[in-house]
């Protein structure tokens, strides 16, 4: 029996909404323009990883070195393509089980926050109509170190006014599960992290997660 869970911190991409295909298409367009090989297998490695770290992974296959200035321009170009794509997101893109989970947690007086590496978090939440659904938002705009560093989750806990031990993180990325545990929080692995052996709890998605028993664990 651990400390009581008083707050749940949700990763955004892959937990509340699926933007991974938009990330893939935007990086793919940029990589094709540059003649850099990039596929969905490499894209898997970008899950939960910051924009510049994602670019560094893509550039592993580049045939020449890029200056820091060029790298910033590439990341900005990709982000322009990405912002165009997420402009199409609607409430229908909210992942199954997310709204029911938020409702259940509110009923149980459990606080809810977002802990995302994405600097586009405000745009995405606006697109899917969830800008006011969370008690706190910690995102890529407010942190220096991205997952697996626990900074974004520690910030979310602080904004909720809760100790890390009273928080549960829901994550779809192994880097995010690692970040939650490093921050002294428990982690529910979903999607790509559903089989992560280090996660405290596991579920295919929010739809199948048994929050009633998780909250009493
Ligand atoms: P941006 P999450 C992460 O979101 C994505 O999983 C990752 O693929 C992306 O590179 C990162 O956000 C940064 O996104 O370019 O929008 O700042 O899973 O932490 O919600
Ligand atoms: Mg994610």
């Amino acid at each position: 029996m651990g400390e009581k869970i008083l707050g749940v911190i949700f990763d955004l991409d892959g937990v509340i909404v699926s933007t991974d295909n938009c990330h893939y298409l935007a990086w793919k367009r940029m990589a094709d323009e540059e003649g850099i090989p990039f596929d969905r297998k490499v894209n898997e490695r970008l899950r939960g990883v910051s924009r510049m770290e994602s670019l560094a992974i893509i550039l592993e296959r580049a045939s020449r070195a890029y200056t820091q200035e060029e790298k910033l321009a590439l990341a900005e170009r990709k982000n322009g393509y990405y912002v165009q794509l997420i402009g199409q997101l609607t409430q229908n893109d909210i992942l199954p089980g997310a709204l029911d989970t938020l409702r259940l947690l509110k009923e149980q007086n459990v606080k809810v926050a977002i802990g995302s590496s994405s600097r586009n978090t405000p745009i995405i939440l606006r697109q899917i109509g969830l800008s006011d659904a969370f008690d706190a938002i910690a995102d890529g705009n407010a942190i220096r170190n991205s997952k697996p560093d626990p900074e974004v989750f520690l910030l979310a806990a602080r904004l909720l006014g809760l100790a890390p031990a009273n928080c549960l993180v829901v994550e779809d990325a192994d880097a995010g599960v690692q970040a939650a545990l490093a921050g002294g929080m428990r982690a529910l692995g979903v999607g790509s992290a559903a089989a992560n052996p280090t996660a405290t709890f596991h579920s295919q998605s929010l739809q199948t997660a048994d929050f009633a028993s998780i909250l009493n664990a």
Side-chain angles (χ1 to χ4, degrees):
M1 183 103 178
E3 302 261 349
K4 200 165 169 43
I5 293 170
L6 302 175
V8 177
I9 304 168
F10 294 87
D11 172 54
L12 182 61
D13 176 23
V15 173
I16 299 290
V17 59
S18 191
T19 52
D20 40 1
N21 197 44
C22 298
H23 278 297
Y24 171 73
L25 293 173
W27 282 125
K28 179 71 179 152
R29 184 170 166 190
M30 187 283 289
D32 284 353
E33 285 166 356
E34 290 298 310
I36 302 166
F38 177 64
D39 54 27
R40 288 190 186 268
K41 192 156 176 264
V42 178
N43 193 56
E44 272 303 305
R45 292 175 56 202
L46 313 184
R47 207 174 276 283
V49 171
S50 76
R51 195 179 305 169
M52 291 309 286
E53 283 164 341
S54 297
L55 178 66
I57 291 171
I58 291 169
L59 292 182
E60 285 171 8
R61 293 195 183 177
S63 53
R64 70 169 178 92
Y66 285 79
T67 66
Q68 187 57 19
E69 206 176 7
E70 286 175 317
K71 287 181 191 171
L72 289 171
L74 291 181
E76 200 162 314
R77 199 200 306 166
K78 177 268 176 175
N79 193 55
Y81 300 152
Y82 179 68
V83 168
Q84 262 178 31
L85 291 167
I86 58 176
Q88 313 293 316
L89 292 176
T90 69
Q91 287 187 339
N92 295 331
D93 295 295
I94 296 173
L95 286 169
L99 292 179
D100 286 341
T101 302
L102 290 174
R103 217 171 291 131
L104 179 137
L105 294 174
K106 293 227 157 156
E107 277 166 19
Q108 305 274 329
N109 289 319
V110 174
K111 290 186 178 168
V112 291
I114 287 287
S116 169
S117 303
S118 177
R119 300 176 73 175
N120 292 299
T121 293
I123 305 179
I124 297 168
L125 289 177
R126 202 179 321 129
Q127 285 293 138
I128 61 175
L130 292 184
S131 295
D132 299 321
F134 297 90
D135 300 299
I137 292 171
D139 68 22
N141 297 296
I143 54 159
R144 280 169 167 271
N145 306 299
S146 60
K147 304 165 190 176
D149 190 286
E151 187 177 350
V152 77
F153 295 137
L154 291 174
L155 174 62
R158 184 148 48 83
L159 293 173
L160 289 178
L162 295 175
N166 293 115
C167 294
L168 169 76
V169 167
V170 187
E171 257 292 349
D172 73 313
D174 293 335
V177 169
Q178 209 182 319
L181 300 176
M185 305 178 192
R186 278 162 283 177
L188 164 61
V190 298
S192 296
N196 183 318
T198 66
T200 327
F201 308 102
H202 307 85
S203 177
Q204 267 326 302
S205 73
L206 282 177
Q207 196 165 31
T208 52
D210 182 1
F211 269 90
S213 64
I214 290 174
L215 292 179
N216 289 313

